[in-house]
Amino acid sequence: MNSFVTPFFADLMLWLMYIMVGAALLVSAYSVWHGLRNRRKGDDIINGVPAGRIGWCVAVGFVLLLLVTFLLGSSDPIVTNGERFADVFWLKATDMFIYTSTLLLIGCFVSAIIGRFRS
């Protein structure tokens, strides 16, 4: 007999999560489309700063970071709530999100400290 009991609102919360992720993806795609559509040629350099190049480097760097952290993610099966999870893709994807979030948070703190003490 399985002693694991599913929480009452688990299905509702999962569907809400799916809807929110879908909405975030749609808003992100629209934002990129709108930004590229309304972009002018002179917008690349703002106050002597190559904003266009920085934006592309950040976007490409983020995708590369996701790819590298996915490849470095563990695929070892885990046991949670008495169930064994062995799906390689989801195990690696979970590690990817954890590692990427951690690295981005560290990057934010480091850039804030450098920006604070730079003269």
Side-chain angles (χ1 to χ4, degrees):
M1 185 168 156
N2 190 356
S3 64
F4 178 70
V5 177
T6 305
F8 185 67
F9 290 114
D11 290 336
L12 177 67
M13 293 305 293
L14 283 172
W15 278 106
L16 180 62
M17 180 190 66
Y18 293 146
I19 291 169
M20 295 303 288
V21 168
L25 289 174
L26 287 174
V27 168
S28 297
Y30 174 76
S31 176
V32 169
W33 173 76
H34 186 267
L36 290 175
R37 192 174 135 238
N38 294 332
R39 187 172 162 207
R40 295 187 309 263
K41 188 63 177 166
D43 289 343
D44 284 344
I45 298 178
I46 300 170
N47 294 331
V49 177
R53 184 174 296 156
I54 291 172
W56 279 108
C57 287
V58 167
V60 170
F62 178 67
V63 170
L64 288 175
L65 180 63
L66 286 172
L67 179 66
V68 168
T69 54
F70 180 82
L71 294 174
L72 293 176
S74 174
S75 61
D76 295 337
I78 61 171
V79 176
T80 304
N81 292 333
E83 272 189 61
R84 185 171 186 265
F85 293 100
D87 188 349
V88 173
F89 174 78
W90 287 114
L91 289 167
K92 285 181 155 293
T94 302
D95 280 351
M96 173 189 72
F97 289 124
I98 292 169
Y99 295 155
T100 301
S101 299
T102 303
L103 290 172
L104 289 175
L105 282 171
I106 291 170
C108 287
F109 285 124
V110 169
S111 65
I113 290 170
I114 290 173
R116 172 68 175 104
F117 293 110
R118 181 181 275 182
S119 44

